[in-house]
Amino acid sequence: MLSREDCLALDRKDLLAPLRGDFDLPADVVYLDGNSLGARPVKARVRAQEVLDQEWGRGLIRSWNSAGWFDLPLRLGDRLAPLVGAGPGEMVVTDTTSVNLFKALAAALHIQAQSQSEAQTQTQSQARDASPHTEATAQAASAQSTPRRRVIVSERDNFPTDLYIAQGLTHWLDRGYTLRLVDSPEALPAAIDDDVAVVMLTHVNYRTGRLLDMAAVTALAHACGALTVWDLAHSAGSVPVDLTGSGADFAVGCTYKYLNGGPGSPAFIWVAPRHMQSFSHPLSGWWGHASPFSMESDFRQHSTIRSALCGTQPIVSLALVECGLEIFERTDMGAVRKKSLALTDLFISLIEARCATHPLTLVTPREHELRGSQVSIEFPHAYALMQALIGRGVIGDYREPDIMRFGFTPLYLRYVDVWDAVETIRCILDDHAYDPQATPGAVT
Amino acid sequence: MLSREDCLALDRKDLLAPLRGDFDLPADVVYLDGNSLGARPVKARVRAQEVLDQEWGRGLIRSWNSAGWFDLPLRLGDRLAPLVGAGPGEMVVTDTTSVNLFKALAAALHIQAQSQSEAQTQTQSQARDASPHTEATAQAASAQSTPRRRVIVSERDNFPTDLYIAQGLTHWLDRGYTLRLVDSPEALPAAIDDDVAVVMLTHVNYRTGRLLDMAAVTALAHACGALTVWDLAHSAGSVPVDLTGSGADFAVGCTYKYLNGGPGSPAFIWVAPRHMQSFSHPLSGWWGHASPFSMESDFRQHSTIRSALCGTQPIVSLALVECGLEIFERTDMGAVRKKSLALTDLFISLIEARCATHPLTLVTPREHELRGSQVSIEFPHAYALMQALIGRGVIGDYREPDIMRFGFTPLYLRYVDVWDAVETIRCILDDHAYDPQATPGAVT
C-alpha cells in the first residue's frame, strides 16, 4: 500500500502536474467535484475582464463582428471537437444540455419518420404499379403522425433531465412514442429491437460513474435500424470519446464539468455529418436561419451545423468556455485517461485499505473499461458524511440514494490530494464526526 | 429650433442625468444602439470579478447554495417584475427569448386545447344523458390532436425569430395550426376571430419602433376567446409595461437591450398567475421538476414559475443581469418614459429641420402613444450611411430594407448626444461622405 510520501513522489513524476498551475484552486480544498462544476482556469479571470471592458464596454454592438461573437458557438465547437472525436463544422456550443438533447432527440425521431415515409412512398409507388387506388397514399400521408418505430430506449438510471426531456418531447408530439427503460446496461441488447427509433444514453453514468461502450451499443442500435443520441456530460474531457469512430449519430454534452467552462456554461450539440442534410428540430430560431439578417418571415434552415443554433447566446459565459478548452490543448486525452485511471485506482485501493472497517460499498465498476473518471461509494449516512467532508475541505457531492460521488480531474488533481481525501474520510468515520440526522437540501 | 447650447441646458436640468455615471461608455461614442445591446453598467465589472473569484473560483460547487445561484433565475425575475407590471413569483430569467417564446406559445396552445377538451367532455356528458353511444367520446379523446382553435395571429413584420419559433412549434405538433400574419396592426381586429387560439405580438416593433396598445389588443383577443403572448424585447425597460393591468396571458423578453444585462444575457418568461396551474410546455428539463434532486425517473412539474426553467443556466452572464436591473431601482418607468419621448421628439425634430434637403423618411410613428424608444429612418443608402456614422462614433444599426435604427436609452443618453448625432448625420449627408456600394454583412 502506498504512503503519503509515495503519492508525493507520483506527483513529482506526473507529466500533467504543471497543468494544475493553469487553475485557481483554494489552498484549503481538495476538490473532488469537477464532475459537477470544474475549477476555474486562471485565464478565465483575464478573459472575463477583456469581454467586460474591451468587448462589451468599449466595442459595444460592434463586437458581434469585431470580437467574433457571431461565430463563437462554432469556433468553440471546432475547438472542442477533437476531444470527442468529432470534426470541424460538426458541433456548436450553445444553450443547455437539456435543450440540446431536445433538438437531437427530435432530429433523430424526425429522420426515422422520414425514412419510414420514404420507404412507404416506395411501397406506394410499387403498389400503384401493381394495382392503382390502394390505401398506400393515405398511409404515406400520415407517416409523420403514426411512425412505425415508436420506442426510445434509455436507462432508468440515466440522468433524470434526459428522461424528462424525452417525456416532454414525446408527450407533446403525441404520436405514440414510448420510453423503454432498462435497469442496467446488460439489458440493452434485449431492449433494442426493430421497434426502436432511438437509443438515448449517457456515456458515463452520473451516479455510478459506469462507462458504456459507445461503439458496441451504437453497432447494436444500427443493426436494428435505430439511431443513437449520446449525452457526453460526464465523458467529454474525462475519457477519450470517439464519436466518429464509434459511428454515433447525435451527441450533446456539458462544458461546465470536466471541460471547466464555468458555472452553467453553455452546452454542446454534435450532428454526424451524414445526418446534417436531414437534421431538423422544433426550436427553429433566427440563429438557425439560412440568412438570419435578411429578416424573412419564413424559416429557411441553415445548411450547416448553425441550424442547431436557436437564439442569442450568453456571450460572457460562452467566451469563458474557451479558457477551459485551451488547457486541453497542452495535453491529450490519452494522457488524461491514464492519470484518471491511476487516480481512481488509487482512491479505490486506499479507501478499501484504510477504511476497511466501515460500511463503504464501491458502486463504480473496478474494470477500467467500465469506469469513467469518478468513484461513487455507497454509505448508509452518505449525505451526512459528505457534509462533514465538505466541512473539512474535501469537496465531493451527494446523490440519491446514499451515494457519495467523487470526481477526479487529472488536469488539476494530485496523487497527494487523493491520499489526503481518503485520510479525511477515515478520520471522520473513525471519530463518527458526522451528524447522522443531516438530510439532503438543494445541491446540484 | 433648439441649439447645442439648449441641449446642454436640458442635460443640466435632467433628473436622470446622474444615472449616466452608472455606465461605462466610451468617450468617443454616441451610443444609439441600446435597443440592440445595452451599455455596460459600471458595477458589472466588479460583479463579474466577484463571480469569477469568490463564487466560482473559491466557492466552487458550494456556490449553488452559498452564493444563491440556485435561486438566481427567480430572484432576477422578482427584481425585473416591477418594470413590466408583474408580481413576485411570476417570472424567471432563463434561456433565450426564442426558447422562452417556444415555451409560452406551447403553453398557450395547450391551455386552449385543454379548455376545448373540457368543453367537449361536458358536451359528451350532456349527450350521454340525452342519448348514450354518441360519437362525443371519440371526439373528446382526440381533442388534443385536432384542436378547434388552430390559428395563431401575428404581424408579418414581427421580429423573425418569433415567427420562426411559431412555425417550428406548429409544424412539429402537426395538428393543423396555421399562422395568420397581418400586414399592419390596423388589421388585427379583423384577423382576430373565434378560430384564433393565440395572438402573439411584439409590444414594440423591432424595425419601426411602433408601440402596440397591449390592453386594447389583449381585450380584443380575450373577447374572441384567444390568449395573448407578448414579446417585450423592445419594451422592457424602455416603455412602461403593465402585464397585470392589461390582462396579458404570457410574456417573454430580453435583458440585453434596454435592461443592460450584457451581450446575450438570459431572457425572461412571465406567466399570468391565473394560468400557472395549467402552465405546461415541452421543454420539461430537471430544473422544472417538482423535486429536481430526488432524481426521479418521471417528470413531475413544479407548481410554481420554476416550471418555466429547463436546464442549468450560464451563471456568469446571468449574475450580471442584476447590475442592469439595480440601476432602474434608482428611478421609475414614468421618468424613463418622459425622457425617452423627449429624446426621440428632439431627434425627429432635429433630423427634419437640419437634414431637410436629404431623402430621409421617418418610419417610426410621430404619436407618442404609438412610439417605443427608438426612431427608425428610411434612406436609400441606409446601410452605407450607418457604416459612415459608426465610423464617426455615432452607433445605431441597420435593418432590412433601407432602415437606420436609432435607439434612445434615457438612463445614459444626453440631449447633447442627440444634437451631436444629428449633426454627424447632416455632415455625412451634406458631404456625401458614405460609400453607396457598401452592402450589409452580419450585424445583429
Side-chain angles (χ1 to χ4, degrees), chain A residues 70-353:
Chain A
F70 189 69
D71 291 322
L72 190 54
L74 287 96
R75 205 162 64 239
L76 293 174
D78 284 352
R79 204 147 182 187
L80 199 159
L83 294 182
V84 292
E90 295 175 9
M91 62 198 303
V92 282
V93 177
T94 189
D95 293 330
T96 64
T97 308
S98 297
V99 166
N100 287 337
L101 188 70
F102 185 86
K103 299 172 194 164
L105 186 56
L109 294 177
H110 174 70
I111 288 172
Q112 289 288 21
Q114 282 294 108
S115 88
Q116 173 189 345
S117 169
E118 277 160 28
Q120 281 180 337
T121 308
Q122 217 162 14
T123 311
Q124 168 195 354
S125 112
Q126 285 162 358
R128 202 169 29 221
D129 290 351
S131 128
H133 310 298
T134 68
E135 283 183 5
T137 313
Q139 272 177 27
S142 67
Q144 172 123 0
S145 304
T146 57
R148 189 182 67 73
R149 291 178 179 270
R150 286 196 296 263
V151 175
I152 298 165
V153 166
S154 192
E155 278 193 87
R156 192 176 309 282
D157 191 27
N158 197 346
F159 189 69
T161 209
D162 295 37
L163 303 181
Y164 302 160
I165 286 291
Q167 288 163 16
L169 175 67
T170 56
H171 175 74
W172 281 73
L173 289 181
D174 194 22
R175 278 164 214 158
Y177 288 112
T178 57
L179 214 52
R180 183 181 291 168
L181 301 181
V182 299
D183 287 321
S184 89
E186 280 66 34
L188 283 172
I192 301 175
D193 60 28
D194 290 350
D195 295 330
V196 176
V198 177
V199 177
M200 175 190 84
L201 293 166
T202 297
H203 191 203
V204 172
N205 186 284
Y206 79 102
R207 209 173 57 84
T208 64
R210 173 162 176 178
L211 169 68
L212 297 181
D213 183 336
M214 184 182 283
V217 175
T218 300
L220 204 62
H222 287 179
C224 288
L227 295 173
T228 55
V229 176
W230 290 95
D231 181 342
L232 308 181
H234 288 269
S235 43
S238 92
V239 298
V241 179
D242 188 2
L243 288 171
T244 305
S246 68
D249 299 290
F250 299 94
V252 300
C254 174
T255 66
Y256 57 75
K257 298 177 186 289
Y258 293 98
L259 296 176
N260 308 302
S265 55
F268 62 86
I269 175 167
W270 172 80
V271 177
R274 67 183 175 282
H275 294 309
M276 201 58 245
Q277 227 187 328
S278 334
F279 180 69
S280 150
H281 61 85
L283 291 166
S284 49
W286 69 313
W287 276 70
H289 194 279
S291 180
F293 296 99
S294 305
M295 303 288 166
E296 300 167 10
S297 58
D298 285 322
F299 185 72
R300 282 190 301 125
Q301 190 177 297
H302 205 284
S303 61
T304 74
I305 191 66
R306 278 193 195 271
S307 60
L309 302 175
C310 178
T312 307
Q313 292 303 298
I315 294 296
V316 184
S317 283
L318 192 64
L320 301 183
V321 172
E322 203 146 25
C323 306
L325 294 179
E326 273 172 18
I327 299 172
F328 280 93
E329 289 165 9
R330 299 177 51 196
T331 177
D332 63 82
M333 285 309 299
V336 169
R337 175 64 169 167
K338 196 174 159 202
K339 183 173 171 191
S340 160
L341 288 171
L343 290 170
T344 51
D345 275 346
L346 175 64
F347 184 74
I348 293 169
S349 65
L350 286 175
I351 281 280
E352 294 186 335

Side-chain angles (χ1 to χ4, degrees), chain B residues 2 13 36 50 115 121 147 166 188 225 259 268 272 299 302 361 379 391 412 421 427-428:
Chain B
L2 297 184
K13 287 189 302 181
S36 193
E50 207 171 78
S115 89
T121 308
L188 284 170
L259 297 176
F268 61 86
F299 186 71
H302 205 283
T361 311
F379 178 68
Y412 51 76
C427 288
I428 294 173

Side-chain angles (χ1 to χ4, degrees), chain B residues 149-385:
Chain B
R149 292 178 179 270
R150 286 196 297 260
V151 175
I152 298 164
V153 166
S154 193
E155 279 192 87
R156 191 177 310 282
D157 192 27
N158 197 347
F159 188 69
T161 209
D162 295 38
L163 303 180
Y164 303 160
I165 287 291
Q167 289 163 16
L169 176 66
T170 57
H171 174 74
W172 281 72
L173 288 181
D174 194 22
R175 279 164 213 158
Y177 288 111
T178 57
L179 215 49
R180 184 182 290 167
L181 301 181
V182 299
D183 288 321
S184 89
E186 281 67 34
L188 284 170
I192 301 174
D193 59 27
D194 290 350
D195 295 330
V196 176
V198 177
V199 176
M200 176 191 84
L201 293 166
T202 297
H203 192 205
V204 172
N205 186 283
Y206 80 101
R207 209 173 56 85
T208 64
R210 175 163 175 177
L211 169 68
L212 296 180
D213 183 335
M214 183 182 283
V217 175
T218 300
L220 203 63
H222 288 179
C224 288
L227 295 173
T228 55
V229 176
W230 289 96
D231 180 342
L232 307 180
H234 289 270
S235 42
S238 92
V239 298
V241 179
D242 187 3
L243 287 171
T244 306
S246 68
D249 299 289
F250 299 93
V252 300
C254 175
T255 66
Y256 57 75
K257 298 178 185 288
Y258 293 98
L259 297 176
N260 309 301
S265 56
F268 61 86
I269 175 167
W270 172 80
V271 178
R274 67 182 174 284
H275 294 310
M276 201 59 245
Q277 227 186 328
S278 333
F279 180 69
S280 151
H281 61 86
L283 291 167
S284 49
W286 69 313
W287 276 69
H289 194 279
S291 180
F293 296 99
S294 305
M295 304 287 167
E296 300 167 10
S297 58
D298 285 321
F299 186 71
R300 281 190 302 123
Q301 190 177 298
H302 205 283
S303 61
T304 74
I305 191 67
R306 278 193 195 270
S307 60
L309 302 175
C310 178
T312 306
Q313 292 303 298
I315 293 298
V316 184
S317 283
L318 192 64
L320 301 183
V321 172
E322 203 144 27
C323 305
L325 294 178
E326 272 172 18
I327 299 172
F328 280 93
E329 289 164 9
R330 300 177 51 196
T331 177
D332 63 80
M333 284 310 299
V336 168
R337 175 62 168 167
K338 198 175 157 199
K339 184 175 171 189
S340 160
L341 288 171
L343 290 170
T344 51
D345 275 346
L346 175 64
F347 184 74
I348 292 170
S349 65
L350 286 176
I351 282 280
E352 294 188 334
R354 300 179 63 80
C355 307
T357 60
H358 300 285
L360 300 174
T361 311
L362 182 68
V363 171
T364 302
R366 274 173 212 282
E367 303 91 320
H368 283 182
E369 65 275 17
L370 298 182
R371 193 194 303 160
S373 200
Q374 80 182 57
V375 177
S376 297
I377 290 175
E378 209 175 317
F379 178 68
H381 302 289
Y383 179 77
L385 177 52

Side-chain angles (χ1 to χ4, degrees), chain A residues 355 358 360 379 385 424-432 434:
Chain A
C355 306
H358 301 285
L360 300 174
F379 178 68
L385 177 52
T424 308
I425 294 170
R426 189 190 63 75
C427 288
I428 294 173
L429 286 172
D430 286 353
D431 301 348
H432 292 280
Y434 58 88

Side-chain angles (χ1 to χ4, degrees), chain A residues 377-387 398 401-404:
Chain A
I377 291 175
E378 210 174 317
F379 178 68
H381 301 289
Y383 178 77
L385 177 52
M386 185 52 77
Q387 288 308 104
Y398 167 80
D402 294 334
I403 301 267
M404 296 184 296

